[in-house]
């Protein structure tokens, strides 16, 4: 008879809790889910749950943090062992950032649904903003002293975040490789002239 290592047992227990919570979130909001439901569906008792978490939000936050860590790894992978590099020189086929979202498609679509009633959208935006600010240095070819580089970075960063969110909301209509290629082009594109559209009667 094999004896299961405590760490493996804890891991399997947590994985079961995670699986059950995400399954329940497909049917109802976090507010409507009870710890009793979670432990019953997991085939554990309340004591086992409280040995790992104080409340259901702690369980969901742990799931989210794990996903965000994987997201960060996928983002950094193309240039992990490089020093300062021109983003424009990174081959688009080495960008696996969008693959991460595709691999976790069900999770992102579930958490970004309006009915989830959890601040995941805000958490994701904050994490991506932090990641991009840490990793990118936005430079301009024509220095304009009137431009606040901090605001310029915010403009660029939140444009990328909007691009990702829209891709998720549109059920990943484009391929991850297409999105990676577009990211490079969009990040380095310069618009010297912008026309205002005339209102159509």
């Amino acid at each position: 008879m094999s004896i299961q290592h405590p760490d493996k047992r804890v891991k399997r227990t947590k994985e079961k809790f995670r699986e059950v919570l995400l399954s329940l979130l497909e049917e109802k909001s976090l507010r409507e889910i009870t710890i009793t439901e979670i432990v019953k569906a997991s085939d554990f008792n309340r004591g086992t749950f409280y040995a790992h978490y104080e409340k259901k939000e702690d369980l969901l936050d742990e799931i989210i943090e794990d996903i965000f860590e994987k997201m960060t790894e996928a983002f950094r992978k193309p240039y992990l062992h490089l020093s300062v590099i021109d983003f424009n020189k990174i081959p688009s086929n080495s960008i696996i950032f969008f693959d991460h979202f595709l691999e976790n498609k069900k999770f992102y679509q579930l958490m970004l649904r309006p009915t989830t009633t959890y601040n995941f959208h805000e958490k994701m935006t904050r994490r991506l903003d932090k990641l991009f600010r840490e990793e990118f240095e936005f430079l301009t070819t024509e220095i304009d002293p009137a431009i606040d580089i901090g605001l310029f970075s915010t403009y660029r960063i939140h444009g990328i975040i909007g691009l990702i969110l829209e891709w998720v909301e549109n059920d990943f209509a484009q391929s991850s490789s297409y999105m990676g290629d577009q990211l490079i082009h969009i990040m380095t594109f310069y618009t010297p002239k912008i026309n205002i559209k005339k209102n159509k009667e």
Side-chain angles (χ1 to χ4, degrees):
M1 181 179 171
S2 62
I3 299 173
Q4 193 177 25
H5 194 278
D7 288 345
K8 286 186 177 178
R9 191 163 59 242
V10 167
K11 187 179 178 183
R12 287 187 64 182
T13 301
K14 285 190 166 191
E15 282 175 354
K16 187 61 181 176
F17 281 141
R18 289 180 179 201
E19 179 189 314
V20 166
L21 179 58
L22 291 175
S23 178
L24 289 169
L25 281 169
E26 290 180 28
E27 304 165 13
K28 56 179 81 174
S29 71
L30 184 67
R31 193 185 298 117
E32 298 170 309
I33 297 169
T34 65
I35 290 174
T36 301
E37 281 181 288
I38 296 170
V39 297
K40 187 176 179 181
S42 304
D43 202 22
F44 289 115
N45 57 43
R46 291 176 71 88
T48 303
F49 181 90
Y50 288 118
H52 302 292
Y53 310 103
E54 285 187 20
K55 51 189 185 294
K56 60 191 176 184
E57 287 81 5
D58 294 338
L59 170 57
L60 184 55
D61 283 337
E62 185 179 82
I63 297 170
I64 291 169
E65 186 56 36
D66 183 54
I67 283 285
F68 284 167
E69 283 178 15
K70 289 175 181 174
M71 177 183 74
T72 302
E73 285 172 18
F75 182 78
R76 290 177 173 162
K77 192 168 183 179
Y79 55 90
L80 193 61
H81 304 293
L82 302 172
S83 55
V84 178
I85 187 169
D86 183 349
F87 186 78
N88 199 27
K89 293 177 181 175
I90 295 177
S92 60
N93 61 4
S94 72
I95 296 177
I96 61 166
F97 183 54
F98 292 98
D99 291 324
H100 161 78
F101 291 96
L102 207 51
E103 286 164 10
N104 297 281
K105 174 179 179 177
K106 187 177 178 181
F107 173 81
Y108 281 106
Q109 288 184 323
L110 172 64
M111 294 306 299
L112 288 167
R113 281 192 325 196
T115 52
T116 303
T117 64
Y118 196 66
N119 60 342
F120 179 76
H121 188 292
E122 183 186 341
K123 284 178 180 286
M124 180 175 162
T125 300
R126 279 205 311 266
R127 181 58 67 95
L128 285 169
D129 181 277
K130 183 174 183 290
L131 177 61
F132 291 148
R133 288 184 194 278
E134 288 173 350
E135 302 295 314
F136 288 148
E137 181 182 14
F138 293 94
L139 303 174
T140 55
T141 51
E142 295 178 20
I143 302 300
D144 184 344
I147 290 180
D148 182 321
I149 197 66
L151 292 176
F152 178 76
S153 298
T154 298
Y155 165 76
R156 278 293 178 89
I157 288 167
H158 284 265
I160 299 165
I161 294 170
L163 180 147
I164 295 165
L165 290 169
E166 185 175 272
W167 186 51
V168 174
E169 287 165 8
N170 288 340
D171 197 27
F172 304 86
Q174 299 88 357
S175 68
S176 57
S177 59
Y178 176 84
M179 294 299 291
D181 185 57
Q182 284 295 302
L183 178 64
I184 291 175
H185 289 302
I186 290 168
M187 287 277 284
T188 56
F189 188 66
Y190 172 56
T191 52
K193 183 179 179 182
I194 300 172
N195 290 331
I196 297 173
K197 294 179 182 178
K198 290 184 177 179
N199 291 329
K200 294 179 181 179
E201 294 290 331

